Amino acid sequence: MTVQLTPAAIAVRLRRLWAGDLVASGELAATFGEGWEAITVEMNGPILTVVGPSTHRDATKGPFGDSLARQAKAASRGAITTIRWRNSSRYVDVRREQTSDLDVFGFEDPLLDAYPAILADVQDGIPGEAPAAARAAVGALRLVGASRHRLWFAARTVAERDALGTVPGARATLFEAVQIYQGAKRPLHHVVVDPSYKAKRQLLIS
């Protein structure tokens, strides 16, 4: 049975595409030069908008735009149908409360190759005294997305996601781990359901 991807799950897939595949392929550096890290990406329904200085305003009309459209469509299971560009001449610092679970990529967000270190830090925050059942429920989750202010985790099934609310202590265990990592009173994190994430190295508790 195919799992219906929520907008947040689609946003995570697009984040991983931008911060992982497109970085690794060299497409971003080839298209935007040394300033590629200042380019941000937003999702609004079926539209994926690339935001940056006007000097690159034609980027989404050329080969890069075609490549991004093809890869974004595949990653989102066809949910993304349009690629657009928006000029922005300056970087605006986004506060925690201005972010959302649908963010795709912002300035200074970590790249995919930083995720193992982030995962290790989150794992360090998992309370050792948490009940075994709670640790098992949290341990089934995978870290799949990270921004400056938020974390995204994936459950492979709806049952795994719902276990956070039904297994005593599970939600609190995840809350505390993220709270310690982010150093914030109110941690910002979200759990999506997406069975495509299979790597054991992504697990919160392996």
Side-chain angles (χ1 to χ4, degrees):
M1 180 178 178
T2 302
V3 173
Q4 184 70 33
L5 296 177
T6 62
I10 292 171
V12 171
R13 287 187 169 202
L14 295 172
R15 172 179 293 276
R16 293 176 66 88
L17 169 64
W18 187 270
D21 294 347
L22 293 177
V23 171
S25 70
E27 290 184 73
L28 297 184
T31 303
F32 302 108
E34 295 182 355
W36 70 265
E37 293 184 3
I39 303 297
T40 61
V41 187
E42 301 172 356
M43 181 183 75
N44 185 7
I47 302 171
L48 190 67
T49 302
V50 183
V51 183
S54 60
T55 51
H56 297 300
R57 62 183 177 275
D58 293 329
T60 55
K61 299 177 182 179
F64 171 75
D66 294 338
S67 175
L68 177 59
R70 182 176 63 256
Q71 295 184 71
K73 181 179 180 179
S76 66
R77 289 186 187 165
I80 296 298
T81 60
T82 305
I83 304 295
R84 290 183 180 172
W85 174 270
R86 188 175 77 244
N87 290 336
S88 179
S89 59
R90 64 189 182 88
Y91 163 66
V92 178
D93 189 22
V94 178
R95 299 189 300 273
R96 296 181 85 247
E97 61 270 20
Q98 295 175 308
T99 64
S100 83
D101 296 328
L102 304 185
D103 291 346
V104 175
F105 193 81
F107 183 62
E108 293 187 345
D109 279 358
L111 302 181
L112 205 63
D113 61 8
Y115 284 19
I118 295 173
L119 174 59
D121 288 342
V122 176
Q123 289 171 329
D124 287 343
I126 296 175
E129 69 277 9
R135 288 178 61 85
V138 170
L141 303 178
R142 288 167 167 80
L143 174 69
V144 293
S147 70
R148 289 175 60 203
H149 301 298
R150 289 180 177 265
L151 294 176
W152 288 261
F153 302 96
R156 299 200 64 210
T157 66
V158 172
E160 285 185 355
R161 180 201 61 194
D162 291 349
L164 290 175
T166 58
V167 175
R171 191 180 302 279
T173 296
L174 179 62
F175 183 97
E176 184 174 340
V178 178
Q179 185 181 50
I180 291 173
Y181 167 74
Q182 293 181 342
K185 184 176 181 180
R186 185 174 71 89
L188 300 177
H189 62 285
H190 186 74
V191 179
V192 302
V193 178
D194 190 336
S196 68
Y197 303 109
K198 301 177 181 179
K200 290 185 177 180
R201 66 179 180 276
Q202 296 172 317
L203 288 168
L204 273 178
I205 301 177
S206 56

